[in-house]
């Protein structure tokens, strides 16, 4: 990553368009506008789902004024128009960057076009990198053709250096044998509270309910409990490992995934109704916890990429009470272990807060600095 000192001497300028101004977008804009002078960054566009503003030489906004500026704009967002506007700014000595802070499939589908026209793409949006292989291949091809980069550190582990660590391992010729980890902050919290290795404990439904109240789950907890978020992250990582790059043709849907949503509740559209009915299934989860405790183990929802065996799975696993997944985790932490030829006897471990707007935005900001 470029140091702040080295940025002062850069001759490049960076025209930045931000799409998505929710929790992560808001925090990213705050970090961008607080960057020390002289800053090479010029914020040229802001887009919400309802409005957009654009000025090729940079918007005259501050951390206190940008929301009003956007709200007072009468211009509706149009991704194709934005694509043309940003493409026109690409020239030697002037980099253009699309920062996509949405979780939109529509924006993700346009990454190949932005890249083809020389616009760099930075995003915490998992969709483009965990969907069908054809979109991912298009992104790679467009980046190769134009030289524009795509950076997506914050798609796995928020601000934790998961993707950059994996890329460095691969680029320096290490052989990745296996990656395993607790990749979901939501699932981490739920099972840290529910399964401690001791007999008994709170009911599964009560832990999920508290997690929802604390804002750790999606509004509909089934969106976390179905394991799809972990499957997406495993897809993203596996595609950076050469032997597995084409292993998941349908992206996350090709990952072997254990859903913790009881089959009887799968059709429920309301998160409130789901929480109301979840206690009907507490006995099943109690038994799983009790069985694990008898073996001196805890339950953890883990993701595994086993390169040697060709297995990519998201599942509820049992780990000894002495295992780092049992002893090192607190709250909504993520923990990821890289087993490689170089890190053979003891895996390389990355651990820390894996969720939250501030750390996710930090991951996005750190990607932006890698362009400098």
């Amino acid at each position: 990553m470029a140091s702040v000192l080295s940025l002062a001497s850069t001759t490049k300028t960076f025209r930045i368009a931000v799409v998505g101004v929710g929790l992560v977008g808001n925090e990213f804009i705050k970090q961008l506008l607080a960057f020390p002078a002289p800053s090479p960054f010029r914020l040229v566009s802001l887009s919400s789902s309802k409005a957009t503003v654009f000025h090729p030489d940079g918007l005259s906004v501050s951390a206190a004024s940008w929301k009003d500026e956007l709200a007072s704009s009468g211009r509706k967002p149009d991704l194709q128009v934005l694509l043309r506007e940003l493409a026109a700014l690409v020239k030697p000595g002037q980099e253009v960057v699309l920062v996509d802070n949405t979780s939109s499939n529509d924006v993700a589908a346009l990454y190949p076009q932005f890249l083809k026209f020389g616009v760099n793409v930075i995003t915490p949006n998992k969709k483009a990198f965990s969907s069908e292989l054809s979109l991912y291949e298009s992104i790679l091809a467009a980046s190769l053709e134009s030289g524009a980069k795509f950076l997506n550190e914050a798609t796995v582990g928020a601000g934790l250096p998961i993707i950059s660590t994996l890329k460095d391992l691969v680029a320096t010729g290490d052989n990745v044998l296996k990656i395993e980890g607790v990749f979901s902050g939501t699932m981490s919290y739920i099972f840290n509270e529910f399964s401690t290795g001791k007999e008994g404990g709170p009911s599964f439904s009560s832990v999920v309910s508290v997690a929802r109240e604390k804002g750790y789950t999606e509004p509909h907890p089934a969106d976390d409990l179905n394991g799809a978020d972990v499957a997406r992250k495993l897809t993203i990582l596996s595609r950076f490992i050469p032997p597995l790059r084409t292993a998941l043709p349908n992206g996350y849907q090709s990952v072997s995934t254990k859903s913790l949503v009881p089959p009887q509740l799968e059709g429920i559209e309301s998160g409130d109704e789901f929480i109301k009915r979840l206690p009907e299934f507490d006995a099943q989860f109690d038994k799983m916890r009790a069985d694990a405790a008898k073996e001196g183990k805890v339950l953890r929802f883990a993701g595994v990429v086993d390169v040697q065996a060709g297995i990519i799975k998201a599942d509820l696993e049992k780990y000894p009470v002495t295992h780092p997944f049992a002893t090192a985790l607190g709250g909504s932490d993520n923990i990821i272990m890289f087993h490689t030829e170089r890190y053979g006897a003891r895996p390389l471990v990355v651990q820390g807060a894996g969720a939250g707007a501030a750390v996710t935005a930090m991951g996005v900001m750190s990607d932006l600095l890698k362009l400098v």
Side-chain angles (χ1 to χ4, degrees):
M1 185 190 296
S3 70
V4 174
L5 288 174
S6 70
L7 293 181
S9 61
T10 184
T11 55
K12 280 186 184 178
T13 59
F14 294 81
R15 299 292 199 262
I16 297 162
V18 177
V19 178
V21 294
L23 290 174
V24 174
N26 181 28
E27 184 63 36
F28 170 75
I29 293 163
K30 181 175 158 189
Q31 292 179 21
L32 183 69
L33 293 175
F35 199 81
S39 171
F41 306 124
R42 303 285 178 272
L43 184 59
V44 298
S45 179
L46 290 167
S47 299
S48 68
S49 59
K50 296 176 181 173
T52 188
V53 287
F54 174 82
H55 195 290
D57 295 323
L59 302 169
S60 298
V61 293
S62 66
S65 71
W66 71 263
K67 289 182 183 176
D68 292 335
E69 179 90 5
L70 185 59
S72 63
S73 168
R75 186 175 153 187
K76 300 291 183 192
D78 186 319
L79 290 170
Q80 290 294 342
V81 172
L82 181 64
L83 174 62
R84 290 195 295 273
E85 288 173 335
L86 296 184
L89 296 179
V90 176
K91 61 185 181 185
Q94 180 168 283
E95 297 275 345
V96 182
V97 187
L98 173 75
V99 177
D100 172 22
N101 292 310
T102 74
S103 58
S104 162
N105 279 308
D106 292 338
V107 184
L110 287 175
Y111 291 174
Q113 289 190 49
F114 279 100
L115 290 163
K116 183 182 175 185
F117 285 109
V119 177
N120 301 283
V121 174
I122 294 174
T123 185
N125 184 350
K126 301 178 197 63
K127 300 291 171 63
F129 311 101
S130 61
S131 300
E132 66 278 2
L133 183 61
S134 57
L135 175 57
Y136 186 66
E137 297 278 16
S138 297
I139 288 169
L140 292 179
S143 174
L144 202 60
E145 180 186 335
S146 70
K149 294 183 173 66
F150 67 89
L151 294 162
N152 61 335
E153 183 71 77
T155 57
V156 181
L160 294 176
I162 307 299
I163 289 176
S164 53
T165 297
L166 177 57
K167 286 164 91 170
D168 286 347
L169 290 168
V170 172
T172 57
D174 199 356
N175 279 323
V176 178
L177 308 176
K178 184 163 81 166
I179 302 171
E180 60 181 327
V182 175
F183 290 93
S184 163
T186 304
M187 293 291 216
S188 179
Y189 174 83
I190 288 171
F191 285 99
N192 291 341
E193 296 294 311
F194 177 69
S195 177
T196 61
K198 297 171 186 167
E199 292 281 345
S203 68
F204 185 75
S205 62
S206 69
V207 172
V208 174
S209 182
V210 170
R212 187 175 185 239
E213 287 164 15
K214 287 178 179 277
Y216 287 149
T217 73
E218 296 292 332
H220 197 318
D223 292 337
D224 295 293
L225 295 177
N226 65 13
D229 177 65
V230 176
R232 284 190 182 277
K233 292 169 181 173
L234 296 176
T235 303
I236 292 166
L237 293 180
S238 70
R239 287 176 171 170
F240 285 114
I241 302 171
L244 297 179
R245 191 168 72 77
T246 59
L248 300 169
N250 296 316
Y252 77 101
Q253 292 179 326
S254 297
V255 174
S256 172
T257 306
K258 165 83 170 175
S259 173
L260 299 184
V261 177
Q264 299 92 323
L265 302 188
E266 277 177 359
I268 292 179
E269 292 181 9
S270 156
D272 290 337
E273 179 68 16
F274 182 88
I275 286 290
K276 189 174 164 186
R277 291 206 42 203
L278 194 57
E280 296 169 25
F281 306 91
D282 278 337
Q284 295 174 21
F285 289 100
D286 285 347
K287 183 177 186 311
M288 287 191 282
R289 173 173 59 190
D291 289 347
K294 282 174 192 166
E295 297 175 35
K297 293 180 177 178
V298 298
L299 298 170
R300 295 293 181 262
F301 196 87
V304 177
V305 178
D306 190 328
V307 182
Q308 292 171 306
I311 293 170
I312 305 170
K313 65 173 181 171
D315 205 344
L316 191 61
E317 308 276 2
K318 291 188 280 190
Y319 291 95
V321 291
T322 53
H323 192 279
F325 292 2
T327 62
L329 288 172
S332 59
D333 279 1
N334 284 181
I335 182 169
I336 289 86
M337 305 171 85
F338 294 92
H339 301 264
T340 74
E341 281 188 359
R342 289 185 195 140
Y343 292 90
R346 292 169 64 80
L348 171 60
V349 178
V350 180
Q351 178 191 348
V359 290
T360 302
M362 184 199 83
V364 176
M365 190 71 195
S366 72
D367 272 349
L368 180 59
L369 292 172
K370 287 169 194 162
L371 293 177
V372 178

